[in-house]
Amino acid sequence: SAVISQKPSRDICQRGTSLTIQCQVDSQVTMMFWYRQQPGQSLTLIATANQGSEATYESGFVIDKFPISRPNLTFSTLTVSNMSPEDSSIYLCSVVVTRAYGYTFGSGTRLTVV
Amino acid sequence: GQQLNQSPQSMFIQEGEDVSMNCTSSSIFNTWLWYKQDPGEGPVLLIALYKAGELTSNGRLTAQFGITRKDSFLNISASIPSDVGIYFCAGQRYNNNDMRFGAGTRLTVKP
């Protein structure tokens, strides 16, 4: 399966600022996703990062708040904009290489907004 | 929102005991997956199931894809301390490329 490098691994940010999270994959992948995991909760899909076109957002998530870039098949970024304490979560990048391997996750970015 | 109901929410067991957890849905899924998440890490795939009725093992772990395609269970036999963590079920449909996750089962193993 793929190896995912996600940066930063953690950050503490001031409210009102923005943070960009990077996801680098060691092989070309068609499907790339961004998930959010709030403290003590399960994973919720934010959006599908589409290469060469706008990301597809799930209900409750909008591009102005979570802009996503996908310039090629190995890299994507997620920006958390105008942060508030409610944005404190773990943000995870996920890819699918082949159906047999399921979805592979990065180790996540633990964000704390103060 | 979440469409998978995972139970139990948490389990406290003695080392050596067997564990069972399950996931149900009101919708049909074409693939069921079970993940484990350790603190500070992303979820790691344990078992993937692709056919209704399929029973698959991975060491001490066994999982089954329900006949109705609306449920799955995961069993862990002879638990050990390193089994501690949060276990998530996930379902995927052919029409959608994303996965939906259960709420997770937090497993504690007492030595």
Side-chain angles (χ1 to χ4, degrees):
Chain A
S1 64
V3 176
I4 299 174
S5 173
Q6 194 172 330
K7 296 179 181 178
S9 59
R10 59 179 63 232
D11 207 342
I12 301 173
C13 300
Q14 295 290 324
R15 67 175 67 201
T17 63
S18 298
L19 175 71
T20 296
I21 302 167
Q22 298 181 359
C23 179
Q24 178 74 54
V25 190
D26 69 343
S27 58
Q28 292 187 341
V29 293
T30 304
M31 309 302 299
M32 188 177 281
F33 307 93
W34 287 98
Y35 282 83
R36 181 176 73 181
Q37 186 176 26
Q38 294 177 302
Q41 302 296 315
S42 185
L43 289 81
T44 301
L45 180 66
I46 298 173
T48 302
N50 300 310
Q51 194 266 327
S53 64
E54 192 172 283
T56 304
Y57 289 85
E58 296 298 304
S59 175
F61 298 96
V62 296
I63 188 171
D64 290 345
K65 177 67 176 177
F66 297 102
I68 289 171
S69 78
R70 179 94 191 269
N72 55 53
L73 293 176
T74 64
F75 186 78
S76 177
T77 67
L78 168 74
T79 299
V80 186
S81 303
N82 188 25
M83 289 183 285
S84 67
E86 291 71 34
D87 294 321
S88 298
S89 291
I90 300 173
Y91 293 85
L92 296 139
C93 169
S94 173
V95 304
V96 58
V97 178
T98 66
R99 188 163 175 252
Y101 289 120
Y103 285 57
T104 301
F105 286 85
S107 56
T109 296
R110 185 179 295 273
L111 170 63
T112 302
V113 183
V114 297
Chain B
Q2 284 190 40
Q3 301 165 320
L4 303 185
N5 300 307
Q6 186 173 347
S7 64
Q9 186 176 12
S10 61
M11 300 183 74
F12 297 83
I13 63 171
Q14 286 292 140
E15 182 177 358
E17 290 183 350
D18 297 343
V19 173
S20 184
M21 58 192 79
N22 68 82
C23 218
T24 62
S25 172
S26 58
S27 305
I28 289 175
F29 287 95
N30 297 104
T31 302
W32 284 93
L33 307 106
W34 286 91
Y35 286 84
K36 183 191 178 197
Q37 186 175 28
D38 292 323
E41 300 293 329
V44 174
L45 181 66
L46 298 174
I47 292 180
L49 303 156
Y50 302 106
K51 293 194 307 184
E54 179 181 356
L55 183 70
T56 298
S57 293
N58 178 7
R60 295 178 295 106
L61 279 61
T62 302
Q64 183 156 32
F65 191 146
I67 289 292
T68 64
R69 294 195 285 164
K70 294 182 178 180
D71 64 299
S72 177
F73 72 74
L74 174 70
N75 288 341
I76 305 173
S77 62
S79 59
I80 59 178
S82 62
D83 290 334
V84 166
I86 304 176
Y87 293 79
F88 291 101
C89 64
Q92 181 188 2
R93 300 188 187 87
Y94 283 143
N95 292 335
N96 298 320
N97 291 307
D98 64 275
M99 282 189 303
R100 302 294 169 173
F101 283 82
T105 296
R106 185 179 296 271
L107 178 63
T108 302
V109 180
K110 293 178 283 187

